Amino acid sequence: MPLNDERPTSTSSTVASEDQSSDTESSERCDSLTSSSDVDCSRQSFTSDSSSKHNSPSCSPPKILTLDEVMASARDLSNLSLAHEIVVNRNFHLEPPDLPQNSLEKRVKDMVHKAFWDCLESELNDDPPEYDYAIKLLEEIRDTLLSFLNPGANRLRTQIMEVLDMDLIRQQADNNAVDIQGLVSYIINTMGKFCAPVRDDEIKKLKENSGDCVTLFKEIFRVLDLMKMDMVNFTIQSFRPELQRQSVEYERAKFQSILERTPNALEHTTEWIKSSIEEATQIMPPAEKSSDSGQSGRPLPGPSLVLNTAYIKLLTWDDSKGPLPETVMTDEARLQVMQRSLQLYQTVASVLLIVYSSIGGAVSGLPTLAERLKKMTVVLLEGMHNTEFKLNEALGNVSVQICCEVNKSLAERNFPALPDELQATLKGQICDVTQENNPVRTLVEGRVQQYLWVVLSSSSSHRTPPPVPPGLTLIQQELMPLSLSFANLVNFNKKVYGPFYFSILKSLLFSDTQNHIPPGPPSSPLKSK
């Protein structure tokens, strides 16, 4: 809460629009939360006897949950999601609810409000006037003004209670001596002391309002609702630094409480890691497969290999794979934005690779042309993730525009235009990018996957991502910040949910070999980068 002479500032960004400064702050936070390396620890640590409340998630048998337990878990999940959003998104803020124009809820709300204001107007127009509804509004306004005060603001609290003394106002109403205009004027002046600078114009309009009392009361409540939201957002800003310092333990404890009430709360996470173990085993180098085999003779991938495989899978996740793992649900929106951006720029890179490999030296070495082709392709393919988007048609338009731009560039340098046969071939190759096994598309996606692997494996990638591999330089400006955001998200997620991943990996990897491996030191192998 701000002091009485400190007025909160207002925010204007939304959750979806996280800018580069947000990534920088996230990078610094992850750097302070995580260690400097991410090496695979000994397999012995999986079988050590080091378990705490958080390191050993509940594995109780299935049980029937009561309604209270369900509601408590829902509240914990809501608090967890809210705290996580405040920590990772510096632009996070709340906004007044905006009901759909033709929704039933909005129609009912408007109807009830209209009935109330009509009753108020009818009372005030009576002769003599009635003040029952007006007194209820004044009491609500008084309580709202008091909620803006700090605990030590005794002078202002006393003044508000004296001016808006409901008992006195009721006595005045009985004698038809209520000074409504005087009370309204005091309320507006008091609101001006508490409001954020962004609301100064609203207060000025209230002071200049010469309408009837009903209209003025409506506007007062509208501005008070805005001030309430300003106060909430100011509180969020004030609370964010402390929450960032405690975020890992807080989020882990909240998730633990959910897990204790809902023993199957890691079901999807377990399946996610299980499938990642199988993929990680297949991509293990032959030397590691032979040296890392346990008593059972099967290769055992390291925890970092498994988890990095699992995290990269999130960028290609779709509904056919089932729900997202429970441990990444708080980042579902961010992952979806990253996934869509990655799909878009992988397609852009594929198209531009086809153009430059087909045309050759006539367009190479022209960064201005390359940037123009990229921007044009991005615009034409924007929204390609939507189900109603016609990708083949859009790629056809892309090919036409690219040929026009290339011919224009060739003409400026006195080169002949592209032959019709080459333009037709180019169009066919660009449209074929939609094919699942298209070699150019496969090449680009494979190099992007390799790059993300390098980013997650590097100890400094969460601050400065490494340069992109050949073939991806055309989307370097977009891929590097995206990988930076992804690395920060992964590092923070590992820090929070590492003990839960540790327990699942221990169960899946060593369920049949624990009796053959001597216990190791009490340390977790999930050290984040």
Side-chain angles (χ1 to χ4, degrees), residues 444-486:
V444 170
E445 290 179 353
R447 289 188 178 178
V448 169
Q449 295 280 314
Q450 293 172 5
Y451 179 69
L452 292 173
W453 264 102
V454 172
V455 169
L456 292 185
S457 302
S458 173
S459 60
S460 60
S461 62
H462 55 281
R463 289 171 301 194
T464 307
V468 299
L472 301 181
T473 52
L474 293 172
I475 58 170
Q476 174 174 299
Q477 293 180 350
E478 294 78 21
L479 188 58
M480 291 180 70
L482 188 150
S483 65
L484 175 64
S485 298
F486 182 62

Side-chain angles (χ1 to χ4, degrees), residues 391-392 395 428-442 445:
L391 184 56
N392 279 327
L395 287 172
Q429 290 178 341
I430 290 176
C431 291
D432 284 345
V433 167
T434 58
Q435 302 299 320
E436 184 175 354
N437 296 323
N438 181 272
V440 178
R441 172 182 169 178
T442 303
E445 290 179 353

Side-chain angles (χ1 to χ4, degrees), residues 50-61 252-253 255-267 269-270 273 326-327 496-507 526:
S50 60
S51 63
S52 64
K53 181 176 181 180
H54 298 313
N55 288 25
S56 299
S58 173
C59 296
S60 305
R252 189 183 298 165
F255 190 79
Q256 178 69 38
S257 66
I258 296 172
L259 198 61
E260 288 171 351
R261 297 190 190 95
T262 317
N264 62 341
L266 284 172
E267 177 182 358
T269 302
T270 302
I273 293 179
E326 297 86 352
T327 52
V496 174
Y497 298 102
F500 303 102
Y501 296 146
F502 167 77
S503 179
I504 294 172
L505 284 167
K506 177 180 176 181
S507 174
L526 299 178

Side-chain angles (χ1 to χ4, degrees), residues 354-368:
I354 290 173
V355 172
Y356 279 85
S357 62
S358 299
I359 300 177
V363 293
S364 61
L366 300 174
T368 303

